[in-house]
Amino acid sequence: SNGSANSAYYSSLSYLNQDGIVRGADFKRMSWNNTVDNQLSKFAKLSATFSVVYQERHNIDENNIDTGTIFSALAADPVTPVFRTNLKNIPASINDLFCLSYLDPANPYTFYSPVLLNNKINPVAQCDIMHQSVWKDLTLRGGLTADIDLTSWLKYKGSVKAEISRANPEYFTP
């Protein structure tokens, strides 16, 4: 930031990199913010703002009570294995629950074990699959504000602002 008697400017650059509470859930943001203030006369001031914000996060489903990773982990029984490969001595009564006929050597995502005794998704598989989906967003914001003293008791303030945003989601489904 810097300025003179009639003008001032401010510019900032920030970066945030935050891990989520679920493995693979993260959030990154980079932003550049700028403000310029100009006292045009004793009665008029013009201000301009401009910012660029880039955000990126992996699309881990954390909050949903039906399909959320946290709820799936809490609802999973503690004896179900994460993977259904190399299973040994499976009792015949639960052998069909592992759907071993669905294993496909060409598709490693079929190796994850289904969660037994409920309809929830294997939370480890969910994190590994959803981590590959990325949401990206680029936003440009700008604005002008004019402050004019019309009289000692009447002031005018007008603002014009614009925002352009482009989201680019990349989804992965095995």
Side-chain angles (χ1 to χ4, degrees):
S1 64
N2 202 349
S4 64
N6 293 328
S7 65
Y9 66 87
Y10 170 81
S11 184
S12 69
L13 184 63
S14 66
Y15 176 72
L16 172 71
N17 186 355
Q18 186 174 30
D19 290 330
I21 59 172
V22 174
R23 183 178 59 123
D26 58 0
F27 178 73
K28 294 176 185 164
R29 180 178 59 224
M30 293 178 281
S31 59
W32 181 40
N33 297 302
N34 300 281
T35 302
V36 177
D37 294 323
N38 287 305
Q39 191 71 42
L40 302 175
S41 69
K42 184 177 176 184
F43 306 107
K45 178 181 174 184
L46 183 66
S47 300
T49 61
F50 177 73
S51 65
V52 179
V53 179
Y54 174 78
Q55 301 178 91
E56 180 179 306
R57 68 178 166 87
H58 287 96
N59 292 324
I60 304 294
D61 188 3
E62 297 174 275
N63 293 346
N64 191 321
I65 196 161
D66 291 324
T67 61
T69 307
I70 295 172
F71 188 72
S72 293
L74 292 171
D77 63 274
V79 296
T80 298
V82 173
F83 300 99
R84 59 180 158 183
T85 53
N86 298 322
L87 297 177
K88 297 175 184 160
N89 302 322
I90 302 171
S93 59
I94 65 168
N95 190 32
D96 290 342
L97 295 174
F98 285 106
C99 305
L100 295 175
S101 62
Y102 292 109
L103 286 174
D104 179 4
N107 184 353
Y109 298 103
T110 64
F111 296 161
Y112 291 102
S113 174
V115 176
L116 301 180
L117 309 176
N118 70 29
N119 62 348
K120 299 301 175 202
I121 300 169
N122 181 322
V124 176
Q126 195 171 21
C127 286
D128 288 348
I129 293 168
M130 291 181 140
H131 177 71
Q132 297 181 55
S133 296
V134 181
W135 174 81
K136 299 174 184 177
D137 176 74
L138 178 65
T139 303
L140 305 174
R141 294 182 184 108
L144 289 172
T145 302
D147 292 300
I148 302 171
D149 296 341
L150 299 174
T151 66
S152 62
W153 52 271
L154 182 61
K155 299 180 188 296
Y156 170 80
K157 182 173 188 171
S159 295
V160 173
K161 298 188 183 218
E163 179 175 310
I164 299 171
S165 183
R166 179 180 182 267
N168 183 22
E170 299 170 359
Y171 294 104
F172 170 75
T173 302

